[in-house]
Amino acid sequence: MQNYKKLGIEHFYKKDFKTAKMYFSLAYKKHKNKRLLNFIGLCDLALKSQKEAFFLFEFYLEHYKTRSIDKDFEKILASVEFKEEQNEEFEDGYALNYQDFLKSEEEIGFKKSFENVIYSGKLVIDNKEDFLEFLEKLFDNGYKDMTLNYIENASPYFWANERFIKLQKKLIGFKSDLKA
């Protein structure tokens, strides 16, 4: 009797992801097991992003015996797959400019648009006023720590800008609220 899961693992390590997926699928067909579906998902991910898939594969094998791994791993895998889908949309040096971000914000709201940008990692703001507007929106939508990080990094470029100084004062109030 063939151990399809073992064969799938062997082929995954050989970077033969299609064959590994086939073996994991055969194992799943034999024994409907949620963990085998995770292996199949890893094979799909490996076809797009080997490095991340190998990291997750090792992590999954290491924690395979842990009861709660399945639910946590599904979330991790879904998050990585979503990130990969977003990266595919922004391939070939394409980046989202701020005006396109604003259009997206009108359609789906700031938070969802910003989450999409976080996953893509490529928002281009080439105007100081737009950048300040973005920082204000970050702050107003609850991303205060992130706003603080941006302000700390950008302060040499905006030290005399009144709008920037007002935002800094808001953040100083936020920091003092945290200490209280």
Side-chain angles (χ1 to χ4, degrees), residues 32-165:
K32 304 280 190 248
N33 180 327
K34 199 173 207 174
R35 292 180 177 202
L36 291 168
L37 289 176
N38 288 333
F39 282 123
I40 293 167
L42 282 167
C43 290
D44 287 336
L45 177 63
L47 292 169
K48 298 175 193 167
S49 175
Q50 268 188 29
K51 187 178 178 182
E52 284 186 317
F54 264 104
F55 173 75
L56 289 174
F57 189 76
E58 291 289 328
F59 173 81
Y60 192 60
L61 286 176
E62 187 177 318
H63 298 285
Y64 191 75
K65 301 285 184 193
T66 307
R67 286 184 186 255
S68 66
I69 189 65
D70 293 318
K71 195 176 268 188
D72 296 337
F73 189 76
E74 286 174 23
K75 289 178 187 174
I76 292 168
L77 190 58
S79 169
V80 170
E81 286 172 343
F82 179 75
K83 180 181 174 191
E84 286 302 311
E85 288 172 15
Q86 293 296 313
N87 285 339
E88 286 174 16
E89 290 179 21
F90 294 109
E91 279 181 356
D92 301 324
Y94 178 80
L96 185 67
N97 69 35
Y98 190 65
Q99 299 310 313
D100 290 337
F101 173 81
L102 290 175
K103 289 176 189 171
S104 172
E105 180 187 10
E106 285 178 23
E107 293 177 20
I108 60 176
F110 180 87
K111 287 189 177 195
K112 187 67 179 164
S113 295
F114 183 65
E115 287 172 11
N116 291 341
V117 168
I118 288 173
Y119 286 116
S120 71
K122 298 172 182 152
L123 176 64
V124 176
I125 303 175
D126 55 6
N127 176 300
K128 285 185 178 185
E129 291 305 310
D130 288 346
F131 180 71
L132 291 171
E133 178 183 57
F134 177 72
L135 291 179
E136 289 168 343
K137 288 181 179 192
L138 269 179
F139 181 85
D140 293 341
N141 282 280
Y143 297 100
K144 292 172 176 54
D145 289 330
M146 195 172 290
T147 307
L148 183 62
N149 288 334
Y150 275 114
I151 282 187
E152 288 173 353
N153 291 325
S155 61
Y157 306 104
F158 292 93
W159 63 272
N161 183 295
E162 287 182 28
R163 193 171 173 187
F164 186 80
I165 293 168

